[in-house]
Amino acid sequence: MKHILPILILLLSFNLNAQQTFKRTLKLMGSRFDITVVAQNQEKADAFINLAIAEITRIEKLISSWDANSQTSAINKNAGIKAVAVDAELFDLITRAISISKLTDGAFDISYASMDKIWKFDGSMTQMPDAATITASVDRVGFNKIQLDASSHTVFLPDAGMKIGFGAIGKGYAADKAKALLISKGVSAGIINASGDMNTWGKQPDGSTWKVAITNPMNKNKVFALLPLINSAVVTSGNYEKFVSFNDTRYSHIIDPRTGYPASGIISATVFAPKAELADALATSVFVMGIEVGLNRINQLPNIECIIIDDTGKIYKSDHIEIKDHD
C-alpha cells in the first residue's frame, strides 16, 4: 500500500495537467485563419483563442485600407494634401516595410496599392496590355516617395492618388502579434495559420515538433516536403490558380511594382524566417526578383531560408536547407 498511493497521486496530477491541442478556424482580415493552441482544457483554449482573435481584429482595424476609418485609409485619403499622425505601431510597421523595400531593391513595396489594376486574372483577359499602359500603371508607385517623420509619427504620401497597402505583409504581422500575445499569457505552444502564413511556437503535447507540409505546386494534392517548424514562420507565395498566359509565357498575379509586369518563371516561393511578417514580405519579393537574384538575396540573410519551384517543376533551395523526399 505504501507504493500505491504515490503512484495514484502521480497519475492524478498527470491527468490534471495534461495538455491537449485545440483548434478553431474562422475568417479574419478577409482570409481563413486557423488558430491552434495547446491548453489544459476547452475552456482555457477558448479564452486564449478569443484573445488571439481580438488581437488580429485590432490590427485589421489599424492597417486595413478597406476600412474607411483606419489610420491607413487616413494616410491614403490625404495623399498630396498633408501628413497624417499615426500610432507608433503603424509608423514602425511602415518603417520596417520600407527597409524590406530597400533590401529587395523595390521588389517589395507597400505603395503598390497605387497601381492601376490593368491585369485581370479572372479569365477575362484575351491579350496583353500595351507597353505604354503598363508603364503608366506604376506612375504613383515608389517606396522612396513615402515621407516619415519620426519626431511626430507622421506619414505623408506626396503624390495625389498615391496609396499604401499591407496585403503582402499584414497577415504575417497579425500572426506574429497574436503569437506574441498568447506567449505572454502563458500559452506554451501553438500555431497561427493566417491563410498560409504559418507561425509556430513550442511543441506538440507529445513533445514532438510542429511540422509543415510544402505542397507540390505541380500537383496540389501531393506534398513534396515535410519540414520541422520550431518557433518560426513559413510563408509560400504561389500562382497555382491566378495567372494568365501570353505567347507561351505564364504570368502570375504577383506584379513587379517597379515595372507593372507580372512576375514570370516561378510558380512557388516558400520562405522560412523567425517572423511571419518578414517571411511574408520576402516570399513575395523572391517571386518578383526571380530565381537567381532571389536565392542570392536570401543566402545573404541570417536565419532565412527558401525553396523555389520554377514553372517546369524544378526545385531550387537556399544554401542551408535540406529537403528529403516525401511520399
Side-chain angles (χ1 to χ4, degrees), residues 19 21 38 189-191 201-211:
Q19 298 280 298
T21 300
V38 172
I191 306 172
W201 74 100
K203 293 185 176 181
Q204 299 186 59
D206 65 1
S208 61
T209 57
W210 303 109
K211 289 184 173 63

Side-chain angles (χ1 to χ4, degrees), residues 3-14:
H3 300 288
I4 294 176
L5 184 59
I7 291 174
L8 288 174
I9 292 173
L10 179 62
L11 289 175
L12 182 61
S13 174
F14 176 79

